[in-house]
Amino acid sequence: MNALAPLPLSEQIAARRAEQIDWARVENDLDANGFAVIGELLTETECRDFARLYSSDEGFRSRVVMARHGFGRGEYKYFSYPLPPLIADFRTAIYPRLASIANRWARLSGSDERYDDDHAGFLERCHQAGQTRPTPLLLDYGPGDFNRLHQDIYGDLVFPLQVAVLLSRPGEDFTGGEFVLTEQRPRLQSKASVVPLRRSDAVVFPVRDRPAPGARGYSRVTMRHGVSEVRAGRRRTLGLIFHDAR
């Protein structure tokens, strides 16, 4: 592509919105609480359009019925490559900001792991490690559905932060279905957090652990996430995971 040519519209949208995010606040919230909320990452129209994609099998590589695997109740579908442009471009635009946080976390945890500055470089490492299947997904919950506490690992190479965007309206499209995080510190009982989200809001959270200060410096605390039972209606979510799967 000509270096002087304008970026495709979806790339412009993703880059502009990534620039508008208060990343210092996101980093502070992640450090303090283990999660950070980004308001209105998507527009109302984009939320509706993404939610409607679930009704089609086109563009997806697989469908998972949670009850068959003991994951809970409900379903999700993994997108296939090539990803829808706006999803691919949001992964590209958001990744460098999260990589900066991830690298600082690695240093605090005493890890030698370092994450590439750009997402293309990190994905190349994933593919060299045999992790070639895309992980962005749509999740679909109806009445009585829920997602058990879990971690989205998918292989040996794991990017430590991920993003979920709520596509449905709490209190209107569905009731219940709260996003839940738990944190397990050494020698302490688990702490649970319920993250309040509106449609179009994104939550940034750890895939499996994060550094937390203690009496003897920083240590890794284990994180898990899930969704409480949906009491009525339908809840759909877009998940952005930055490492690919085996």
Side-chain angles (χ1 to χ4, degrees):
M1 180 182 293
N2 187 330
L4 299 179
L7 293 173
L9 181 58
S10 63
E11 245 183 280
Q12 295 179 41
I13 291 171
R16 183 172 64 250
R17 291 192 200 156
E19 285 297 323
Q20 292 170 345
I21 294 168
D22 184 349
W23 289 106
R25 180 193 60 78
V26 168
E27 187 164 5
N28 288 337
D29 287 351
L30 282 165
D31 285 348
N33 306 315
F35 65 89
V37 175
I38 299 171
E40 299 181 340
L41 183 65
L42 300 179
T43 66
E44 295 284 312
T45 298
E46 289 162 354
C47 287
R48 287 192 294 268
D49 289 347
F50 280 131
R52 279 196 289 262
L53 289 178
Y54 200 87
S55 301
S56 171
D57 288 333
E58 185 177 354
F60 295 97
R61 66 174 175 85
S62 65
R63 168 176 167 263
V64 177
V65 178
M66 295 187 202
R68 294 176 183 169
H69 307 277
F71 297 162
R73 280 183 51 179
E75 298 182 1
Y76 52 89
K77 291 181 178 180
Y78 289 107
F79 286 99
S80 57
Y81 279 133
L83 299 173
L86 194 55
I87 292 177
D89 293 334
F90 265 118
R91 280 217 299 180
T92 298
I94 291 173
Y95 171 89
R97 305 289 191 154
L98 297 182
S100 175
I101 300 171
N103 282 325
R104 184 175 65 83
W105 278 12
R107 291 192 295 271
L108 290 173
S109 300
S111 170
D112 294 330
E113 182 65 68
R114 294 295 179 268
Y115 301 96
D116 301 75
D117 292 335
D118 63 273
H119 194 227
F122 180 73
L123 282 183
E124 178 61 29
R125 288 175 57 202
C126 285
H127 297 172
Q128 290 175 357
Q131 296 176 212
T132 59
R133 296 185 298 160
T135 48
L137 72 165
L138 286 178
L139 300 102
D140 179 65
Y141 304 90
D145 290 349
F146 62 94
N147 198 346
R148 297 187 191 278
L149 294 170
H150 65 285
Q151 300 171 321
D152 297 313
I153 305 298
Y154 299 118
D156 294 333
L157 193 56
V158 176
F159 188 73
L161 291 161
Q162 65 190 91
V163 176
V165 187
L166 185 60
L167 304 177
S168 306
R169 297 167 297 180
E172 297 183 51
D173 296 330
F174 70 96
T175 58
E178 294 89 357
F179 182 82
V180 180
L181 279 168
T182 64
E183 175 184 287
Q184 177 62 65
R185 298 200 180 205
R187 298 176 297 280
L188 292 175
Q189 293 181 324
S190 295
K191 172 190 173 184
S193 297
V194 175
V195 181
L197 296 171
R198 303 164 300 175
R199 179 163 74 175
S200 79
D201 285 353
V203 56
V204 185
F205 57 100
V207 172
R208 64 181 170 193
D209 56 40
R210 71 181 184 97
R216 300 180 180 178
Y218 282 85
S219 61
R220 292 177 182 267
V221 297
T222 300
M223 306 290 294
R224 291 183 173 81
H225 64 278
V227 173
S228 69
E229 185 173 333
V230 173
R231 294 191 291 275
R234 187 152 298 277
R235 180 193 194 276
R236 285 184 176 165
T237 308
L238 170 65
L240 298 178
I241 298 162
F242 295 89
H243 49 276
D244 280 355
R246 285 194 179 278

